[in-house]
Amino acid sequence: MVQDRKETFLTTALVSKLVEANDDLKEFRVVPDAGGCTLTTPKGLDGFMSVIHRLTLNLEHAVTGDKKSLTVMVKVMKGDDGFRQKSLGLVLFPNEINVYSAVIPTFKREVAASIDFSTLVPRVYLAEAGARYAAYSDQEETFLVMEDVSSRGFVPGPRLNLDQPHLELMARKIAQFHACSYALRVGGQREELRTLVDRIIPLNFLQDGKIFFESYDVVFKVVFERLFHYLDEKPDVFTTDSVRERVNTLRRKYGTAPSELMQRCLARDDIYSVILHGDFNRNNVLFRYENETPRDVMLIDFQENRYGSPALDLSFFMYMNKPPEAWTDGGWEHVLAVYHRELIRCLCDIVKIDPDDERLEPYRFDAMKEHLKQHFIYGAIIAIKFLPCMLADEQEVQEIVHHFHTDFTADGFRDIYLIAGGEVVNDRISKVIVHAAEQGYLDWLM
């Protein structure tokens, strides 16, 4: 059986590799009499493109006889070669491996004690891309073995909408990650930053004039079809003629070519671009609570890692996880200010400069906001792409997942995505786009 073959590999050969790869484990061996290895696959942890197993090892030191138990999470790719090619799994997974094996170690070495990396990301025991093991499969694989941080209290937060404490934690944590790139640039280590950037496999929406990220393009077009049909039926959604004009311009220029819009948002520069998480939202972070109050947050899932404007990370989690009722009365600006304060604090601490240093001029709050405005539509579009699935009922989600894995270009996928979540989704995605227009994030279209 294929599944038995894979489980055998994960509990034998992979275990040997991860023990050998970590200095603090090399003197330990698995103890069969104590249960040896236990592999489970918890429900709810896997995604569209990956399977995540929990692996528990009972170990004994070869010299002292000391025993300990170690629990890790093992992340592997789903699907056959055709699915992986279409969904760009062979780009996404190696890029995630690169973050853990190259980016984080470099940041950690250069930043020293300025940022607590033990709570920024999980410890990684093994990260391997482009591997072929006949004992596991006949395909090219990636293996990511990470600490099970649930033992330290890091767990998923609310399913979608986050309150202010959660949002502020996320804003500060992504600021810390972005600050590492800025510190290399401001601190005179541009070549080291460039070396890290050059290792990232480009994850474009368009390449050589053709659609590159096909699965995203399909969903963008369907959700645009849904959005603009709803706006035609509910013209009173527009708050002003100016907002209507900007949304109509978005529709005219990119309504049938959303990937062109998204590719434009990936534009890089030598001042503001940073190494990004790339898929920063509540699904890809874990919170630690004390007395039901969120105290810390950890980043996971770097598959869509890119190099570009920090707006790409900020805009997605703000539009995805900040509910519309929290956008008003200064709530939107407050999250941006929290991000900016932490960014400058970290940057000054890492580079050892004062806040009024002239090298920080491009990163003053007003200057940063002007830059962010040119790219913030990115997160709005990514959010409306995912919201139908996030707000759908369980049966609709199952149908979406089924079509996504079998053929996301088929009519069945389009049909369910046009109606999933009903009016709740229609209201939410229309508010996202109207708000983006009100904030000036569509002004560049004019």
Side-chain angles (χ1 to χ4, degrees), residues 104-137:
I104 294 297
T106 299
F107 284 173
K108 190 174 181 179
R109 182 178 67 249
E110 300 300 333
V111 168
S114 297
I115 292 173
D116 183 1
F117 281 86
S118 71
T119 62
L120 185 74
V121 295
R123 174 181 172 177
V124 170
Y125 289 89
L126 183 69
E128 190 172 36
R132 285 188 178 273
Y133 295 105
Y136 182 81
S137 76

Side-chain angles (χ1 to χ4, degrees), residues 9 21 39 61 88 93 113 151 161 186 188 262 275 289 360 433 444:
F9 177 86
L39 185 74
H61 196 277
L88 295 185
F93 282 83
S151 63
N161 294 331
V186 174
M262 303 308 285
I275 294 177
Y289 293 87
L360 296 182
I433 296 302
W444 59 272

Side-chain angles (χ1 to χ4, degrees), residues 204-222:
N204 293 315
F205 295 97
L206 297 177
Q207 191 159 302
D208 300 324
K210 298 178 181 179
I211 300 297
F212 184 64
F213 212 156
E214 184 181 3
S215 62
Y216 269 48
D217 186 71
V218 168
V219 185
F220 287 149
K221 287 177 178 175
V222 174

